[in-house]
Amino acid sequence: MPPAAHPSSDPRFTVPDARFVLGLADSATLPPAGLPEIAFAGRSNVGKSSLLNALTLRKSLARTSSTPGCTRQINVFDVRLGDGLRLRLVDLPGFGYAKRSKQERGRWGELIEAYLQHGGLSALVLLVDVRRGLEDEELQLVEFLRVVRGPDFPCAIVLTKVDKVSRSQAGKAVDAAARALGQPVIAFSSSTFQGREQLWTRVRAWVAQQQPHADPTPEITSPAFPSTPPGGRPAPAHHRRPRHP
Ligand SMILES: Nc1nc2c(ncn2[C@@H]2O[C@H](COP(=O)(O)OP(=O)(O)OP(=O)(O)O)[C@@H](O)[C@H]2O)c(=O)[nH]1
Ligand SMILES: [Mg+2]
């Protein structure tokens, strides 16, 4: 594996604030529209949670595991970049995990379908393992997104774990995915940070499109979704932060 590139100190790519705000296990209360919201979807174990940690330069903002099926709910994080830009990153549970029961996979499908249709979602990043390439599930997800959000809904394809293959294998996989979907593809590694600034640049462009006159706020002062509302009763269990071991 090549040595990890030192992430740049360019304030567009540094992340002074990153915090967990909400975990959702069902679609009853999807996050209300607020900050520009970018979600990360993909097969179980593809590296979604690791990519979020690499983007935010945190070791364990999102929980990762070598065992597939680690992320079992929709986890929402609010971040502020070095230049003040604020946005929301959403870690989705992975699909294609065969060891889950049929009922659980059905629930996952409903949750993700509801989530992808909710008004607050600004853009989707679909992660694909560089060694597997696009398979039926990924193509179906892209098609579903086109049907429910229209052909122009912002969506980026990221090939993960490129540190595990040679440069030429990664190049071939990028070309194949780009040809299949007719759009550019980003090669990414959470281990070496390859592709990190390219992905941030894409995400920032989406945010700028949505908020052309965004006035960067200096600090995230409180979570958008407190687990205990001021003076109120505690939020339902699925609103609380998942326990980290
Ligand atoms: N070498 C390498 N390993 C990676 C990379 N990204 C993730 N991994 C490893 O792949 C495994 C799965 O990573 P996760 O980030 O937990 O995957 P996930 O997509 O969030 O998985 P689920 O939550 O189960 O859907 C972990 O052992 C990670 O360390 C990468 O870029 N390079
Ligand atoms: Mg995960």
Side-chain angles (χ1 to χ4, degrees), residues 45 47-50 62-65 69-72 75 91-94:
N45 208 240
K48 298 174 294 297
S49 302
S50 303
R63 196 181 346 176
T64 66
S65 167
C70 175
T71 309
R72 300 177 86 105
N75 287 325
D91 189 10
L92 297 175

Side-chain angles (χ1 to χ4, degrees), residues 184-200:
V185 167
I186 296 173
F188 195 95
S189 166
S190 297
S191 301
T192 66
F193 297 109
Q194 180 182 336
R196 179 179 177 273
E197 292 186 7
Q198 200 184 347
L199 181 54
W200 263 131

Side-chain angles (χ1 to χ4, degrees), residues 28 57 106 115 133 139 163 169 172 192 208-209 235 242:
L57 302 176
Y115 177 76
L139 296 170
D163 57 282
Q169 281 171 308
K172 279 184 196 149
T192 66
Q209 246 170 20

